[in-house]
Structures are given as structure tokens and as C-alpha cells.
Coordinates of all heavy atoms in Angstrom, one line a residue:
S22 N -12.6 -43.8 1.6 CA -11.5 -44.5 1.5 C -10.6 -44.2 0.3 O -11.2 -43.6 -0.8 CB -11.7 -46.1 1.5 OG -12.1 -46.6 0.2
L23 N -9.4 -44.7 0.2 CA -8.6 -44.3 -1.0 C -9.0 -45.1 -2.1 O -8.9 -44.6 -3.3 CB -7.1 -44.6 -0.6 CG -6.5 -43.7 0.1 CD1 -4.8 -44.3 0.6 CD2 -6.3 -42.4 -0.3
M24 N -9.6 -46.3 -2.0 CA -10.1 -46.9 -3.2 C -11.2 -46.3 -3.8 O -11.3 -46.5 -5.1 CB -10.5 -48.4 -2.7 CG -9.3 -49.4 -2.5 SD -8.2 -49.5 -3.9 CE -9.2 -50.3 -5.1
D25 N -12.0 -45.6 -3.1 CA -13.1 -44.8 -3.8 C -12.6 -43.8 -4.6 O -13.3 -43.3 -5.6 CB -14.0 -44.2 -2.7 CG -14.7 -45.3 -1.9 OD1 -15.0 -46.4 -2.3 OD2 -15.1 -44.9 -0.7
R26 N -11.4 -43.3 -4.4 CA -10.7 -42.3 -5.2 C -9.9 -42.8 -6.3 O -9.5 -42.1 -7.1 CB -9.9 -41.3 -4.3 CG -10.8 -40.7 -3.3 CD -9.8 -40.2 -2.3 NE -10.6 -39.6 -1.1 CZ -10.9 -38.3 -0.9 NH1 -10.6 -37.5 -1.7 NH2 -11.6 -38.0 0.1
S27 N -9.7 -44.1 -6.4 CA -8.9 -44.7 -7.4 C -9.4 -44.3 -8.9 O -10.6 -44.2 -9.2 CB -9.0 -46.2 -7.4 OG -8.2 -46.9 -8.2
G28 N -8.4 -43.8 -9.6 CA -8.8 -43.4 -11.0 C -9.2 -41.8 -11.2 O -9.3 -41.4 -12.3
N29 N -9.2 -41.3 -10.0 CA -9.6 -39.8 -10.0 C -8.3 -39.0 -10.0 O -7.4 -39.4 -9.3 CB -10.5 -39.5 -8.9 CG -11.9 -40.2 -9.0 OD1 -12.3 -40.4 -10.1 ND2 -12.5 -40.4 -7.9
A30 N -8.5 -37.8 -10.4 CA -7.3 -36.8 -10.3 C -7.6 -36.2 -8.9 O -8.8 -35.7 -8.6 CB -7.3 -35.8 -11.3
E31 N -6.7 -36.2 -8.1 CA -6.8 -35.7 -6.7 C -5.7 -34.7 -6.3 O -4.5 -34.8 -7.0 CB -6.7 -36.8 -5.6 CG -7.8 -37.9 -5.8 CD -9.1 -37.4 -5.3 OE1 -9.2 -36.4 -4.4 OE2 -10.2 -38.0 -5.5
V32 N -6.0 -33.8 -5.5 CA -5.0 -32.8 -5.0 C -4.4 -33.4 -3.7 O -5.0 -33.5 -2.8 CB -5.6 -31.4 -4.8 CG1 -4.6 -30.5 -4.3 CG2 -6.2 -30.8 -6.0
V33 N -3.1 -33.7 -3.9 CA -2.4 -34.4 -2.7 C -2.4 -33.6 -1.4 O -2.7 -34.2 -0.4 CB -0.9 -34.7 -3.1 CG1 -0.2 -35.2 -1.8 CG2 -0.9 -35.6 -4.2
A34 N -2.3 -32.2 -1.5 CA -2.4 -31.4 -0.4 C -3.8 -31.5 0.4 O -3.9 -31.6 1.5 CB -2.1 -29.9 -0.7
E35 N -4.9 -31.7 -0.5 CA -6.3 -31.8 0.1 C -6.4 -33.2 0.6 O -7.0 -33.3 1.8 CB -7.2 -31.6 -0.9 CG -7.2 -30.2 -1.4 CD -8.2 -29.8 -2.5 OE1 -9.2 -30.5 -2.7 OE2 -7.9 -28.8 -3.3
L36 N -5.8 -34.2 0.1 CA -5.9 -35.5 0.6 C -5.0 -35.6 2.0 O -5.5 -36.2 3.0 CB -5.2 -36.6 -0.3 CG -6.1 -37.0 -1.4 CD1 -5.3 -37.9 -2.4 CD2 -7.4 -37.7 -1.0
A37 N -3.9 -35.0 2.0 CA -3.1 -34.9 3.2 C -3.9 -34.2 4.4 O -3.9 -34.7 5.5 CB -1.8 -34.1 3.0
E38 N -4.6 -33.2 4.1 CA -5.3 -32.5 5.1 C -6.5 -33.4 5.6 O -6.7 -33.5 6.7 CB -6.1 -31.2 4.4 CG -6.9 -30.3 5.4 CD -6.2 -29.6 6.5 OE1 -5.1 -29.3 6.2 OE2 -6.8 -29.4 7.5
E39 N -7.2 -34.0 4.7 CA -8.3 -34.8 5.0 C -7.9 -36.1 5.9 O -8.5 -36.5 6.8 CB -9.0 -35.3 3.7 CG -10.2 -36.2 3.9 CD -10.9 -36.6 2.7 OE1 -10.9 -35.7 1.8 OE2 -11.4 -37.7 2.6
M40 N -6.7 -36.7 5.5 CA -6.2 -37.8 6.1 C -5.2 -37.7 7.3 O -4.7 -38.7 7.8 CB -5.7 -38.9 5.1 CG -6.8 -39.2 4.1 SD -6.3 -40.5 3.1 CE -7.9 -40.7 2.2
G41 N -4.8 -36.4 7.5 CA -3.9 -36.1 8.6 C -2.5 -36.4 8.3 O -1.7 -36.4 9.2
F42 N -2.1 -36.4 6.9 CA -0.7 -36.7 6.7 C 0.1 -35.3 6.7 O -0.5 -34.3 6.5 CB -0.6 -37.2 5.2 CG -1.3 -38.5 4.9 CD1 -1.7 -38.7 3.7 CD2 -1.4 -39.4 5.9 CE1 -2.3 -40.0 3.3 CE2 -1.9 -40.6 5.6 CZ -2.4 -40.9 4.3
T43 N 1.3 -35.4 7.1 CA 2.2 -34.2 7.3 C 3.5 -34.5 6.7 O 3.9 -35.8 6.5 CB 2.3 -33.8 8.7 OG1 3.0 -34.7 9.4 CG2 1.1 -33.4 9.3
E44 N 4.3 -33.5 6.4 CA 5.7 -33.6 6.1 C 6.5 -34.0 7.4 O 5.9 -34.0 8.4 CB 6.2 -32.2 5.5 CG 5.6 -31.8 4.2 CD 5.9 -32.6 3.0 OE1 6.8 -33.4 3.1 OE2 5.4 -32.4 2.0
D45 N 7.7 -34.3 7.2 CA 8.5 -34.6 8.3 C 8.6 -33.6 9.4 O 8.6 -33.9 10.6 CB 10.0 -35.0 7.9 CG 10.0 -36.3 7.1 OD1 9.1 -37.1 7.3 OD2 11.0 -36.5 6.4
D46 N 8.5 -32.4 9.0 CA 8.6 -31.2 10.0 C 7.1 -30.9 10.5 O 7.0 -29.9 11.3 CB 9.2 -30.0 9.3 CG 8.4 -29.4 8.2 OD1 7.3 -29.9 7.8 OD2 8.9 -28.4 7.7
G47 N 6.1 -31.6 10.1 CA 4.8 -31.3 10.7 C 4.0 -30.4 9.9 O 2.8 -30.2 10.1
S48 N 4.5 -29.9 8.8 CA 3.8 -28.9 8.0 C 3.0 -29.7 6.8 O 3.2 -30.8 6.6 CB 4.8 -27.9 7.2 OG 5.6 -28.7 6.3
R49 N 2.1 -29.0 6.2 CA 1.4 -29.3 5.1 C 1.4 -28.3 4.0 O 1.1 -27.1 4.2 CB -0.1 -29.6 5.4 CG -0.4 -31.1 5.8 CD -1.9 -31.2 5.9 NE -2.1 -32.2 7.0 CZ -2.5 -32.0 8.2 NH1 -3.1 -30.8 8.5 NH2 -2.6 -33.0 9.0
P50 N 1.6 -28.7 2.7 CA 1.5 -27.7 1.7 C 0.0 -27.2 1.4 O -0.9 -28.0 1.8 CB 2.0 -28.4 0.4 CG 1.7 -29.9 0.7 CD 1.8 -30.0 2.3
D51 N -0.1 -26.0 1.0 CA -1.4 -25.5 0.6 C -1.9 -26.0 -0.7 O -1.1 -26.3 -1.6 CB -1.4 -24.0 0.5 CG -1.1 -23.3 1.9 OD1 -1.7 -23.8 2.9 OD2 -0.3 -22.4 1.9
S52 N -3.2 -26.3 -0.8 CA -3.8 -26.8 -2.0 C -3.5 -25.7 -3.1 O -3.6 -24.6 -3.0 CB -5.3 -27.1 -1.9 OG -5.8 -27.3 -3.1
I53 N -3.4 -26.2 -4.4 CA -3.4 -25.4 -5.5 C -4.6 -24.6 -5.7 O -4.6 -23.7 -6.5 CB -2.9 -26.2 -6.8 CG1 -4.0 -27.3 -7.2 CG2 -1.5 -26.8 -6.7 CD1 -3.7 -27.9 -8.5
R54 N -5.7 -24.9 -5.0 CA -7.1 -24.3 -5.2 C -7.2 -23.3 -4.1 O -8.2 -22.6 -4.1 CB -8.2 -25.3 -5.1 CG -8.2 -26.3 -6.2 CD -9.5 -27.2 -6.2 NE -9.8 -27.7 -5.0 CZ -11.1 -27.7 -4.4 NH1 -12.1 -27.3 -5.1 NH2 -11.3 -28.4 -3.2
S55 N -6.2 -23.3 -3.1 CA -6.3 -22.3 -2.0 C -6.0 -21.0 -2.2 O -4.9 -20.7 -3.0 CB -5.5 -22.9 -0.9 OG -5.5 -22.0 0.3
L56 N -6.7 -20.0 -1.7 CA -6.2 -18.6 -1.9 C -4.9 -18.4 -1.2 O -4.1 -17.5 -1.7 CB -7.3 -17.7 -1.2 CG -8.6 -17.5 -1.9 CD1 -9.5 -16.5 -1.1 CD2 -8.4 -17.0 -3.3
R57 N -4.6 -19.1 -0.2 CA -3.3 -19.1 0.5 C -2.1 -19.4 -0.4 O -1.0 -19.1 -0.2 CB -3.3 -19.9 1.8 CG -2.2 -19.7 2.7 CD -2.2 -20.5 3.9 NE -3.4 -20.1 4.8 CZ -3.9 -20.8 5.7 NH1 -3.4 -22.0 6.0 NH2 -4.9 -20.4 6.4
Y58 N -2.5 -20.2 -1.4 CA -1.5 -20.6 -2.4 C -1.5 -19.6 -3.6 O -0.4 -19.2 -4.1 CB -1.6 -22.0 -2.9 CG -0.6 -22.4 -4.1 CD1 0.6 -22.7 -3.7 CD2 -1.1 -22.4 -5.4 CE1 1.5 -23.1 -4.8 CE2 -0.2 -22.7 -6.4 CZ 1.1 -23.1 -6.1 OH 2.0 -23.4 -7.1
I59 N -2.6 -19.3 -4.1 CA -2.8 -18.6 -5.4 C -2.4 -17.1 -5.2 O -1.6 -16.6 -5.9 CB -4.3 -18.6 -5.9 CG1 -4.5 -20.1 -6.2 CG2 -4.6 -17.7 -7.0 CD1 -6.1 -20.4 -6.6
L60 N -2.9 -16.5 -4.1 CA -2.6 -15.0 -4.0 C -1.1 -14.6 -3.9 O -0.5 -13.9 -4.7 CB -3.4 -14.4 -2.8 CG -4.9 -14.4 -3.0 CD1 -5.6 -13.7 -1.8 CD2 -5.4 -13.7 -4.3
P61 N -0.4 -15.4 -2.9 CA 1.1 -15.1 -2.8 C 2.0 -15.5 -4.0 O 2.9 -14.8 -4.3 CB 1.6 -15.8 -1.6 CG 0.4 -16.2 -0.9 CD -0.7 -16.3 -1.9
N62 N 1.4 -16.5 -4.7 CA 2.3 -17.0 -5.8 C 2.0 -16.3 -7.2 O 2.8 -16.3 -8.1 CB 2.2 -18.5 -6.0 CG 2.8 -19.2 -4.8 OD1 4.1 -19.1 -4.7 ND2 2.2 -19.7 -3.9
F63 N 0.7 -15.8 -7.4 CA 0.4 -15.3 -8.7 C -0.1 -13.9 -8.7 O 0.1 -13.0 -9.4 CB -0.7 -16.3 -9.3 CG -0.2 -17.6 -9.5 CD1 -0.4 -18.7 -8.6 CD2 0.6 -17.9 -10.6 CE1 0.1 -19.9 -8.8 CE2 1.2 -19.2 -10.8 CZ 1.0 -20.2 -9.9
V64 N -1.0 -13.7 -7.6 CA -1.7 -12.3 -7.6 C -0.9 -11.3 -7.0 O -0.8 -10.1 -7.6 CB -3.0 -12.4 -6.9 CG1 -3.8 -11.1 -6.8 CG2 -4.1 -13.5 -7.6
F65 N -0.3 -11.4 -5.8 CA 0.5 -10.5 -5.2 C 1.8 -10.0 -6.1 O 2.0 -8.8 -6.1 CB 0.9 -10.9 -3.9 CG -0.2 -11.1 -2.9 CD1 0.1 -11.8 -1.7 CD2 -1.3 -10.6 -3.0 CE1 -0.9 -11.9 -0.7 CE2 -2.4 -10.7 -2.0 CZ -2.1 -11.4 -0.9
P66 N 2.5 -10.9 -6.7 CA 3.5 -10.4 -7.5 C 3.1 -9.6 -8.6 O 3.7 -8.5 -8.9 CB 4.1 -11.7 -8.0 CG 3.8 -12.7 -7.0 CD 2.4 -12.4 -6.5
Q67 N 2.0 -9.8 -9.2 CA 1.4 -9.0 -10.3 C 1.0 -7.6 -9.7 O 1.3 -6.6 -10.3 CB 0.2 -9.7 -10.9 CG -0.4 -9.0 -12.1 CD 0.5 -8.9 -13.3 OE1 1.3 -9.8 -13.5 NE2 0.4 -7.9 -14.1
M68 N 0.4 -7.6 -8.5 CA 0.0 -6.3 -8.0 C 1.2 -5.5 -7.7 O 1.2 -4.3 -7.8 CB -0.8 -6.6 -6.7 CG -2.2 -7.1 -6.9 SD -3.0 -7.7 -5.4 CE -3.1 -6.2 -4.4
E69 N 2.2 -6.1 -7.1 CA 3.5 -5.5 -6.9 C 4.2 -4.9 -8.0 O 4.7 -3.8 -8.0 CB 4.4 -6.3 -6.0 CG 3.9 -6.6 -4.6 CD 4.6 -7.7 -3.9 OE1 5.3 -8.5 -4.4 OE2 4.5 -7.8 -2.5
Q70 N 4.2 -5.7 -9.1 CA 4.8 -5.2 -10.3 C 4.1 -4.0 -10.8 O 4.7 -3.0 -11.3 CB 4.9 -6.4 -11.4 CG 5.6 -5.9 -12.6 CD 5.6 -7.1 -13.6 OE1 4.8 -8.1 -13.5 NE2 6.3 -7.1 -14.6
E71 N 2.8 -4.0 -10.9 CA 2.0 -3.0 -11.4 C 1.9 -1.7 -10.6 O 2.0 -0.5 -11.1 CB 0.5 -3.4 -11.7 CG 0.4 -4.4 -12.8 CD -1.0 -4.9 -13.0 OE1 -2.0 -4.4 -12.3 OE2 -1.1 -5.9 -13.8
S72 N 2.0 -1.9 -9.2 CA 2.0 -0.7 -8.3 C 3.3 -0.2 -8.0 O 3.5 0.9 -7.6 CB 1.2 -1.1 -7.1 OG 1.9 -2.0 -6.2
G73 N 4.3 -1.1 -8.0 CA 5.6 -0.7 -7.6 C 5.8 -0.7 -6.1 O 6.8 -0.3 -5.6
K74 N 4.8 -1.3 -5.4 CA 4.8 -1.3 -4.0 C 4.6 -2.7 -3.5 O 3.7 -3.4 -4.2 CB 3.7 -0.4 -3.4 CG 3.9 1.1 -3.7 CD 2.7 2.0 -3.2 CE 2.8 3.3 -3.7 NZ 1.7 4.1 -3.4
P75 N 5.2 -3.1 -2.4 CA 5.0 -4.4 -1.8 C 3.5 -4.6 -1.2 O 3.0 -3.6 -0.7 CB 6.0 -4.6 -0.7 CG 6.3 -3.2 -0.3 CD 6.2 -2.4 -1.6
V76 N 3.0 -5.7 -1.2 CA 1.8 -6.0 -0.6 C 2.1 -6.0 0.9 O 3.0 -6.6 1.3 CB 1.1 -7.3 -1.0 CG1 -0.1 -7.7 -0.1 CG2 0.8 -7.3 -2.5
P77 N 1.3 -5.3 1.7 CA 1.6 -5.2 3.2 C 1.7 -6.6 3.8 O 0.9 -7.5 3.5 CB 0.5 -4.4 3.8 CG 0.0 -3.6 2.6 CD 0.1 -4.4 1.5
G78 N 2.5 -6.8 4.8 CA 2.7 -8.0 5.5 C 1.4 -8.5 6.2 O 1.1 -9.7 6.2
W79 N 0.6 -7.4 6.7 CA -0.6 -7.9 7.4 C -1.7 -8.5 6.5 O -2.4 -9.4 6.9 CB -1.2 -6.8 8.2 CG -1.6 -5.6 7.3 CD1 -1.0 -4.5 6.9 CD2 -3.1 -5.4 6.8 NE1 -1.9 -3.7 6.1 CE2 -3.0 -4.3 6.0 CE3 -4.2 -6.3 6.8 CZ2 -4.1 -3.8 5.3 CZ3 -5.3 -5.9 6.1 CH2 -5.3 -4.5 5.4
I80 N -1.5 -8.1 5.2 CA -2.4 -8.8 4.2 C -1.8 -10.3 3.8 O -2.5 -11.3 3.9 CB -2.5 -7.9 2.9 CG1 -3.3 -6.8 3.2 CG2 -3.2 -8.8 1.8 CD1 -3.4 -5.7 2.1
R81 N -0.5 -10.3 3.4 CA 0.1 -11.5 3.2 C 0.0 -12.6 4.2 O -0.1 -13.7 3.9 CB 1.7 -11.2 2.9 CG 2.0 -10.7 1.6 CD 3.5 -10.7 1.4 NE 3.9 -10.3 0.2 CZ 3.8 -10.9 -0.9 NH1 3.5 -12.3 -0.9 NH2 4.2 -10.6 -2.1
D82 N 0.1 -12.1 5.5 CA 0.1 -13.1 6.6 C -1.3 -13.5 7.0 O -1.4 -14.4 7.9 CB 0.7 -12.5 7.9 CG 2.3 -12.2 7.5 OD1 2.9 -12.8 6.6 OD2 2.9 -11.3 8.3
N83 N -2.3 -13.1 6.4 CA -3.7 -13.3 6.8 C -4.6 -13.7 5.7 O -5.8 -13.7 5.7 CB -4.4 -12.1 7.5 CG -3.7 -11.9 8.8 OD1 -3.8 -12.6 9.7 ND2 -3.0 -10.7 9.0
V84 N -4.0 -14.3 4.7 CA -4.7 -14.9 3.5 C -5.5 -16.3 4.1 O -4.8 -17.1 4.5 CB -3.9 -15.2 2.3 CG1 -4.7 -15.9 1.2 CG2 -3.1 -13.9 1.7
P85 N -6.7 -16.4 3.8 CA -7.5 -17.4 4.3 C -7.2 -18.7 3.4 O -6.8 -18.6 2.3 CB -9.0 -17.1 4.2 CG -8.9 -16.0 3.2 CD -7.6 -15.2 3.2
N86 N -7.4 -19.7 4.0 CA -7.1 -21.1 3.3 C -8.5 -21.5 2.8 O -9.0 -22.5 3.0 CB -6.7 -22.2 4.3 CG -6.2 -23.4 3.6 OD1 -5.8 -23.3 2.5 ND2 -6.2 -24.6 4.2
F87 N -9.0 -20.6 1.9 CA -10.3 -20.9 1.2 C -10.0 -21.6 -0.1 O -9.3 -21.1 -0.9 CB -10.9 -19.5 1.0 CG -12.3 -19.7 0.2 CD1 -13.3 -20.0 0.9 CD2 -12.3 -19.4 -1.0 CE1 -14.7 -20.2 0.3 CE2 -13.6 -19.5 -1.8 CZ -14.8 -19.8 -1.1
L88 N -10.7 -22.7 -0.3 CA -10.6 -23.4 -1.6 C -11.6 -22.9 -2.6 O -12.8 -22.9 -2.4 CB -10.8 -24.9 -1.3 CG -9.9 -25.6 -0.5 CD1 -10.2 -27.1 -0.3 CD2 -8.4 -25.5 -0.9
L89 N -11.0 -22.6 -3.8 CA -11.9 -22.2 -4.9 C -12.5 -23.4 -5.6 O -11.8 -24.4 -5.6 CB -11.0 -21.4 -5.9 CG -10.5 -20.0 -5.4 CD1 -9.6 -19.4 -6.5 CD2 -11.6 -19.1 -5.0
P90 N -13.7 -23.3 -6.0 CA -14.2 -24.5 -6.8 C -13.6 -24.7 -8.0 O -13.0 -23.8 -8.6 CB -15.7 -24.1 -6.9 CG -15.7 -22.6 -6.8 CD -14.6 -22.2 -6.0
W91 N -13.6 -26.0 -8.5 CA -12.9 -26.3 -9.7 C -13.5 -25.5 -11.0 O -12.7 -25.4 -11.9 CB -13.0 -27.9 -10.0 CG -12.0 -28.7 -9.2 CD1 -12.2 -29.5 -8.2 CD2 -10.6 -28.6 -9.3 NE1 -11.1 -30.0 -7.6 CE2 -10.0 -29.5 -8.3 CE3 -9.6 -27.9 -10.1 CZ2 -8.7 -29.7 -8.1 CZ3 -8.4 -28.1 -9.9 CH2 -7.8 -29.1 -9.0
S92 N -14.7 -25.2 -10.8 CA -15.3 -24.5 -12.0 C -14.6 -23.2 -12.3 O -14.5 -22.8 -13.5 CB -16.7 -24.2 -11.7 OG -17.0 -23.5 -10.5
V93 N -13.9 -22.6 -11.3 CA -13.2 -21.3 -11.5 C -12.0 -21.7 -12.5 O -11.7 -20.8 -13.3 CB -12.7 -20.9 -10.2 CG1 -11.7 -19.7 -10.3 CG2 -13.9 -20.3 -9.2
F94 N -11.5 -22.8 -12.3 CA -10.2 -23.1 -13.2 C -10.7 -23.6 -14.5 O -9.8 -23.5 -15.5 CB -9.4 -24.1 -12.5 CG -8.9 -23.7 -11.0 CD1 -9.6 -24.0 -10.0 CD2 -7.8 -22.8 -11.1 CE1 -9.2 -23.6 -8.7 CE2 -7.5 -22.4 -9.8 CZ -8.0 -22.8 -8.7
S95 N -11.8 -24.1 -14.7 CA -12.3 -24.6 -16.1 C -13.0 -23.4 -16.8 O -13.3 -23.8 -18.1 CB -13.1 -25.8 -15.8 OG -14.4 -25.6 -15.1
S96 N -13.4 -22.4 -16.2 CA -14.0 -21.4 -17.0 C -13.0 -20.5 -17.8 O -11.8 -20.3 -17.5 CB -14.7 -20.5 -16.1 OG -15.7 -21.1 -15.3
P97 N -13.5 -20.0 -18.8 CA -12.5 -19.0 -19.6 C -12.3 -17.7 -18.7 O -13.1 -17.4 -17.9 CB -13.3 -18.6 -20.8 CG -14.8 -18.9 -20.6 CD -14.8 -20.0 -19.4
P98 N -11.2 -17.1 -19.1 CA -10.9 -15.9 -18.3 C -12.0 -14.8 -18.5 O -12.6 -14.9 -19.6 CB -9.5 -15.4 -18.7 CG -9.3 -16.2 -20.0 CD -10.2 -17.3 -20.0
P99 N -12.3 -13.9 -17.5 CA -13.1 -13.0 -17.8 C -12.7 -11.9 -18.8 O -11.5 -11.7 -19.1 CB -13.3 -12.1 -16.4 CG -12.0 -12.5 -15.7 CD -11.5 -13.8 -16.2
E100 N -13.6 -11.3 -19.6 CA -13.3 -10.4 -20.6 C -12.8 -9.1 -19.9 O -13.3 -8.6 -18.9 CB -14.5 -10.1 -21.6 CG -14.9 -11.3 -22.4 CD -16.0 -10.9 -23.3 OE1 -16.1 -9.8 -23.7 OE2 -16.7 -11.9 -23.7
V101 N -11.8 -8.5 -20.6 CA -11.3 -7.2 -20.1 C -11.7 -6.1 -20.9 O -11.7 -6.2 -22.2 CB -9.7 -7.4 -20.1 CG1 -9.1 -6.0 -19.7 CG2 -9.1 -8.5 -19.3
E102 N -12.2 -5.1 -20.3 CA -12.7 -3.9 -21.1 C -11.5 -3.2 -21.7 O -10.5 -3.1 -21.0 CB -13.5 -3.0 -20.2 CG -14.8 -3.6 -19.7 CD -15.5 -2.5 -18.9 OE1 -15.4 -1.3 -19.1 OE2 -16.3 -3.0 -18.0
K103 N -11.7 -2.8 -22.9 CA -10.6 -2.1 -23.6 C -10.9 -0.6 -23.7 O -11.9 -0.1 -23.6 CB -10.3 -2.6 -25.0 CG -9.9 -4.0 -24.9 CD -9.8 -4.6 -26.3 CE -9.3 -6.0 -26.2 NZ -9.0 -6.6 -27.6

């Protein structure tokens, strides 16, 4: 129930999915933890900038709605070899 979540930080997109809420047009936003949100908004632009080539549509259009665990976001970034 919603009362069980009172006082917790929650991702609205995940609550909407769980409880069946939608926007007026029937859509739902992707969770900020979802690869479907992260890759097109952060990873693909970086790849395109570095390669000078667009990410193919068949890749963009088939990103899974896989949720990354919160531990991914609370860990320090991986070390980069120099």
C-alpha cells in the first residue's frame, strides 16, 4: 500500500507501473533506473560524440526496460586505465 511507502524515496515511474497509473495519453515515463532511460539520454550521445556516427535505430528502438539496482548508483565510478 502507499502508506507502507510513506517517508521513503520512491521513483514515480516505478510506482505508476506497479499501480497502473498512466499519463492522459496512456503512456508511462521510463524509470530513471531503466536502461531504456539511461542509454538514450546519457550513453548513446556520448558514443555518438566519440565515434562521430549515430547509434543505429535498431539498437535505439530495442533497449530493454531493465532496471539497474540502486547499488549501481551509489558505487563510485570504475577506475579508468591511463
Side-chain angles (χ1 to χ4, degrees):
S22 80
L23 286 177
M24 283 307 292
D25 293 336
R26 298 166 188 259
S27 179
N29 294 329
E31 299 285 341
V32 178
V33 174
E35 293 174 27
L36 286 175
E38 176 76 27
E39 184 178 324
M40 300 192 172
F42 300 151
T43 62
E44 298 288 349
D45 291 339
D46 65 1
S48 67
R49 266 191 212 108
D51 293 318
S52 169
I53 59 172
R54 297 189 308 139
S55 172
L56 287 181
R57 194 178 291 161
Y58 175 80
I59 295 169
L60 293 181
N62 289 293
F63 300 99
V64 178
F65 292 165
Q67 183 70 28
M68 291 170 59
E69 291 172 337
Q70 182 180 12
E71 290 178 9
S72 71
K74 299 176 185 176
V76 171
W79 65 270
I80 293 176
R81 279 190 177 278
D82 297 341
N83 291 294
V84 175
N86 191 25
F87 178 79
L88 297 180
L89 298 175
W91 281 114
S92 61
V93 169
F94 300 98
S95 62
S96 302
E100 292 188 25
V101 177
E102 292 183 29
K103 295 180 181 183

